Structures are given as structure tokens and as C-alpha cells.
Amino acid sequence: MSSIADNIGSVTRRIQKATLQAGRDPGSVRLLAVSKTRPPEDLREAFAAGQTAFGENYLQEALEKIEALDDLDGIEWHFIGPIQSNKTRQIATSFAWVHSVDRLKIARRLSEQRAPSLPPLNICLQVNIDEEDTKSGCTVEELPELVSAIGELPNLSLRGLMAIPDPDQSESELRSSFRKLANALKSLKQECPEAGPLDTLSMGMSDDLEMAIAEGATWVRIGTAVFGARPPKEPQS
Ligand SMILES: *Cc1c(COP(=O)(O)O)cnc(C)c1O
């Protein structure tokens, strides 16, 4: 079995190669290590190998790891799971990024609950790009209104869009889902230039990061290729 450090090395090379092939700036794509279900020791090992950004889906599990790893200087926590409105306070105080904001109510609460002494909370809007019934996220059509409203919130920095495309699609369908998200971000930059930096596309996972990078991903969210296969059933928070 290969070590987490080896895995990070191979994923980093995959990212570099895809970035180069897409003719994009080296360094324009960052690796978010998705550490759900992983014990703190695994994250510590990844951190020792140079990985600083970690993505967590379940709040309770994340808070325990954040506490267990608070000696790691420069570790950066990203929340990427569905958000219940009664959980926003802890998300607003404990994370640097939230990739899964999908409605105004949640954005308002995160802004109200983010301490003004902290840097603004970086957020992405999650888009249900393939309009799946079971998946959270807003529609592309809802974006302009949502983005203008979020642009007014003081303690948030609206960085861009996130999506989890339907995995049961052909390669070309998957690619067009990534492209659709990239085009949605382009339109927003023109329509709502004041709303925030809008410089981020959070898309691409272990199996499809190359395609996501070809379509403009700036964060790829990688679990399995960094930490190995997860147990089949994931705990719920
Ligand atoms: C689990 C998860 C990932 C990582 O998936 P892998 O296929 O293991 O790389 C990425 N994004 C989100 C939102 C996830 O929940």
C-alpha cells in the first residue's frame, strides 16, 4: 500500500500535468485534500508531506479534528458538505472556506456569525449542475439574484462556484457539466462584477480531475486518491 505522502506526490503530478496541458499557469490549481471519515493521524501525515488545505463534510467530525490538530500552524479548513441552518455558527467560526452555500438564508447567517475580527469567510455557491433531485445546490438560473444579494454581505468573500456533477454520465456529458459551471462563473463576472473576487471554480474529484482542470477548475477536491478508499458507509452529522 502506498503512503499518503506518495499519494499526494502522484496527485500533485497529475494536477501539474493537466494544468500544463490546458495551457494554464502552474499554481493556478490547488489541491483540497478531502479528509471525511479519516482519523486525525492521516491528516497529520498529509500535512507533514506539505498538504495544508483539508475539506470536511460532516461538522461534528470536522470540529473534533480541528481541535485535535490545532498545533498544525497554517492548516486551512474547508467545509464542503450540506449545511443545516442551525449549524452555521460553528461553520462561520471554525473554517476559512465554505464550498457548499446554496441559499441566501445560509449566506446571511454565515456573514452575521463570522467574527469581524477574522478575515472574511471565503464562500462558493454550490450549483446543482445536472439538476439531480437528490443533490443540494441552486440552479444556474438562480445565480444572478443570489450573487447580487450575497455581494452585500459584509463578512463574506464570494469566491466562485462549486459543483458535484452526476457521476453516472458519459465523459462528454461530464465535461459539459464542468463547462457549464465555468460559463456560469464567466457570466456572473460580467453581470455582477462587484459581488466578490469570483475567481474560483471548485470542481473535479479523484476520477475526473484532469477534465475539470481542462475546463478551468481552481480547486480540485480529492479524497480517495490521497487517502485511499473510504469505508462504504459514511457517518452522518
Ligand atoms: C467525498 C467528496 C469528494 C472527494 O471524492 P473522491 O472521489 O474520494 O476524490 C469531493 N467533493 C465532495 C463534495 C465530497 O463529498
Side-chain angles (χ1 to χ4, degrees):
M1 220 181 74
S2 53
S3 72
I4 291 170
D6 291 341
N7 292 344
I8 289 174
S10 348
V11 171
T12 303
R13 283 189 295 277
R14 280 176 66 190
I15 293 172
Q16 282 168 346
K17 191 170 166 206
T19 307
L20 202 70
Q21 268 170 1
R24 298 180 49 196
D25 279 346
S28 60
V29 184
R30 293 188 64 197
L31 168 59
L32 181 65
V34 175
S35 44
K36 61 184 172 209
T37 78
R38 301 293 165 181
E41 306 81 74
D42 286 9
L43 285 75
R44 209 174 264 289
E45 200 177 323
F47 188 84
Q51 179 63 32
T52 51
F54 294 89
E56 289 282 342
N57 295 59
Y58 312 108
L59 184 61
Q60 202 46 50
E61 183 194 329
L63 293 174
E64 286 164 23
K65 285 181 229 181
I66 291 172
E67 200 187 328
L69 300 171
D70 73 348
D71 58 312
L72 300 182
D73 226 8
I75 194 167
E76 186 178 276
W77 294 100
H78 294 232
F79 194 78
I80 63 172
I83 304 173
Q84 293 164 317
S85 57
N86 61 347
K87 301 275 176 68
T88 50
R89 183 173 299 280
Q90 282 165 306
I91 295 176
T93 48
S94 306
F95 290 81
W97 283 73
V98 181
H99 293 229
S100 44
V101 177
D102 65 355
R103 52 199 194 277
L104 185 56
K105 180 184 176 191
I106 297 291
R108 281 213 180 100
R109 291 176 67 97
L110 289 171
S111 180
E112 282 162 13
Q113 295 166 344
R114 179 73 167 179
S117 59
L118 291 173
L121 181 63
N122 295 297
I123 67 158
C124 292
L125 284 171
Q126 181 172 353
V127 182
N128 186 353
I129 200 73
D130 296 314
E131 298 178 18
E132 294 169 89
D133 292 340
T134 53
K135 211 159 266 175
S136 32
C138 63
T139 63
V140 170
E141 290 70 33
E142 289 168 332
L143 281 172
E145 206 180 314
L146 205 46
V147 164
S148 339
I150 291 175
E152 307 289 320
L153 301 174
N155 301 319
L156 303 182
S157 176
L158 182 55
R159 299 299 298 269
L161 303 178
M162 178 273 225
I164 312 168
D166 178 359
D168 300 322
Q169 305 185 89
S170 70
E171 267 203 15
S172 66
E173 287 167 332
L174 189 56
R175 192 166 184 125
S176 66
S177 301
F178 288 138
R179 185 165 302 168
K180 196 169 155 195
L181 195 72
N183 286 336
L185 184 69
K186 273 188 206 133
S187 316
L188 290 172
K189 273 195 225 177
Q190 286 170 352
E191 291 164 36
C192 321
E194 309 290 307
L198 295 172
D199 57 0
T200 298
L201 279 173
S202 169
M203 60 186 195
M205 314 203 296
S206 293
D207 291 335
D208 54 25
L209 70 89
E210 283 83 3
M211 209 190 280
I213 289 172
E215 296 299 337
T218 63
W219 277 114
V220 288
R221 307 181 310 268
I222 312 296
T224 312
V226 168
F227 294 107
R230 283 183 294 277
K233 200 168 183 311
E234 291 162 4
Q236 300 297 310
S237 67

